[in-house]
Amino acid sequence: MSTNPLLKGTLHTIILKLLEGNNRMYGYEITQKVKEASEGGIMLTEGALYPALHKLQAEGLLKATVEIVDGRARKYYQLTGHGGKEATDKINEAQAFIDQLQNILNIKPAVK
Amino acid sequence: MKPTADQQFFLGEYLREYLAYRETYAEFYDHILTALEGYPENISFYTALNNIIEEDFGGLGNIPVIEARYQQETLVEMKKRYWNYLMECLKFPSISIFIISSIIIYWFVKQAWFNFSLFFWIAIAMSLFQSILNNIRYIRLGYIVCFGYVFGNSKRSVKDTGFTWLKYSIVPLIILFAAFQHIFANDISTDWFKKAGPIVLTMIFTAYTIHAAAYYKIYRDEFKISIV
């Protein structure tokens, strides 16, 4: 993932959010979508994406289907019913955290 | 760039050397080829390949780490699914089938009491079921397996560890079944044991059939993944 430590812990939320907005996506497509949406600010690198996808799949939040595209197997991920609910919760949680952080950052320094 | 057939072959062989599992192999191969298609023609194939492996996978050294984590997650997921299938068997309507089958097994055990050879073959059949199903799975996956090793172009599946765990998890129950029936059949048990014998063996056998049903469902799930 991006070297920015602030992004750690948000990868699952990012994946769930992307899959909420798209019916199904494959690994490389997810990295490109994140790059595009963040205008290159966030890059899913260092092998963080696949462990995250596999973990979400193991937790039953994602399901995978394999299709043959251009003569090779392509694995698509999509949200399960449970994953859809989890996506909504995680996004709300992230939004609430951002709002709280925003409030803290907006505190004006006390006048001496 | 559009990788040539030779470059695609090179990539396949290169990844085959570093990846242990067929699932990660297929996924990474597709990822790298798709990423290569996004590279301009003026960059060499090898430079582009190294960049992708470095940036997207954290380098070749990180690949075994990714695979080990994947295998661990898969094992946890398979155990969870196995447990859910076991619980499903104890709910209506499956439970009614197991109650009826338990009554039949009990009757069968009572009738065949002290028939050592029959119980011996039942215990053998119980053990063989796991191995037979596992070997059918290998054949369906196109494995070339000999003495536990995978040969040729076939690669191991990340689910193999889960299936091995499922295969051996029931061994204590089979040993228990064999031990109990041996105690009863050889008339070395007490009166209480003799009375409880058919019930105990029915319970063990029913537990085994529930396990076998869950094991079969997990086996069946693997081939449900749609390949369009």
Side-chain angles (χ1 to χ4, degrees):
Chain A
M1 205 167 171
S2 167
T3 48
N4 190 337
L6 288 174
L7 291 167
K8 278 188 180 169
T10 57
L11 182 55
H12 288 195
T13 311
I14 291 170
I15 294 170
L16 292 172
K17 172 67 186 168
L18 283 176
L19 289 168
E20 193 189 41
N22 298 275
N23 181 30
R24 56 180 202 159
M25 295 174 92
Y26 55 94
Y28 181 73
E29 192 181 9
I30 294 173
T31 59
Q32 293 309 294
K33 197 82 181 171
V34 171
K35 197 172 160 186
E36 186 190 309
S38 65
E39 293 171 344
I42 300 175
M43 310 263 276
L44 300 180
T45 59
E46 295 163 18
L49 175 69
Y50 289 102
L53 285 170
H54 300 150
K55 189 169 173 57
L56 291 168
Q57 190 187 353
E59 286 172 356
L61 303 178
L62 303 184
K63 62 178 175 184
T65 48
V66 178
E67 270 188 30
I68 303 297
V69 179
D70 291 337
R72 58 183 189 259
R74 177 164 290 168
K75 193 172 176 183
Y76 284 95
Y77 294 92
Q78 67 185 105
L79 291 175
T80 59
H82 177 45
K85 285 181 204 129
E86 187 71 15
T88 312
D89 290 348
K90 285 242 184 218
I91 294 159
N92 290 340
E93 210 176 275
Q95 193 57 57
F97 177 73
I98 292 164
D99 291 345
Q100 285 160 7
L101 193 63
Q102 191 68 52
N103 289 339
I104 294 166
L105 295 176
N106 284 344
I107 294 172
K108 287 176 186 156
V111 182
K112 287 181 184 172
Chain B
M1 73 171 71
K2 179 80 186 158
T4 63
D6 281 350
Q7 287 169 337
Q8 288 185 31
F9 178 77
F10 170 83
L11 176 64
E13 292 302 303
Y14 185 64
L15 290 179
R16 198 179 293 281
E17 198 180 315
Y18 286 98
L19 293 163
Y21 303 117
R22 53 179 61 204
E23 289 87 354
T24 36
Y25 172 83
E27 198 161 30
F28 291 6
Y29 180 75
D30 177 55
H31 181 112
I32 294 170
L33 271 187
T34 315
L36 281 169
E37 283 162 9
Y39 267 76
E41 293 289 344
N42 59 352
I43 293 178
S44 89
F45 167 79
Y46 299 101
T47 308
L49 178 60
N50 283 335
N51 282 348
I52 294 163
I53 289 174
E54 204 57 48
E55 286 172 10
D56 293 2
F57 302 102
L60 278 177
N62 200 35
I63 284 177
V65 180
I66 297 174
E67 285 201 308
R69 281 175 69 181
Y70 186 23
Q71 193 223 39
Q72 205 53 39
E73 298 293 350
T74 307
L75 184 62
V76 170
E77 185 271 332
M78 282 178 81
K79 284 182 180 177
K80 204 163 81 180
R81 199 149 37 98
Y82 169 70
W83 183 251
N84 288 340
Y85 282 144
L86 286 185
M87 290 296 110
E88 230 174 61
C89 291
L90 301 175
K91 287 179 190 160
F92 187 80
S94 306
I95 186 83
S96 49
I97 298 166
F98 285 103
I99 289 171
I100 294 165
S101 68
S102 296
I103 294 166
I104 295 166
I105 292 164
Y106 178 76
W107 178 83
F108 187 72
V109 168
K110 277 282 244 190
Q111 294 300 311
W113 201 239
F114 296 130
N115 187 345
F116 179 78
S117 61
L118 182 68
F119 279 109
F120 172 77
W121 288 112
I122 291 172
I124 292 288
M126 283 162 79
S127 337
L128 279 181
F129 172 76
Q130 326 283 321
S131 299
I132 291 170
L133 204 62
N134 217 33
N135 283 306
I136 292 172
R137 177 180 167 267
Y138 283 162
I139 293 165
R140 288 186 72 179
L141 288 175
Y143 274 25
I144 305 163
V145 184
C146 191
F147 298 112
Y149 292 96
V150 179
F151 292 102
N153 279 336
S154 59
K155 274 206 161 287
R156 282 214 167 278
S157 165
V158 74
K159 290 176 187 160
D160 285 0
T161 314
F163 275 97
T164 307
W165 177 81
L166 281 172
K167 193 172 127 183
Y168 291 113
S169 65
I170 204 68
V171 168
L173 200 68
I174 295 172
I175 292 170
L176 201 64
F177 178 84
F180 265 90
Q181 72 86 16
H182 181 75
I183 292 169
F184 295 131
N186 286 285
D187 205 16
I188 52 174
S189 58
T190 62
D191 282 348
W192 183 88
F193 254 64
K194 276 177 186 162
K195 279 178 193 161
I199 296 167
V200 172
L201 281 180
T202 303
M203 282 166 70
I204 295 173
F205 200 77
T206 303
Y208 172 79
T209 50
I210 290 173
H211 156 80
Y215 183 59
Y216 177 74
K217 282 179 183 174
I218 289 180
Y219 157 80
R220 193 191 55 189
D221 283 352
E222 189 168 17
F223 299 101
K224 263 189 192 169
I225 293 174
S226 61
I227 296 178
V228 183

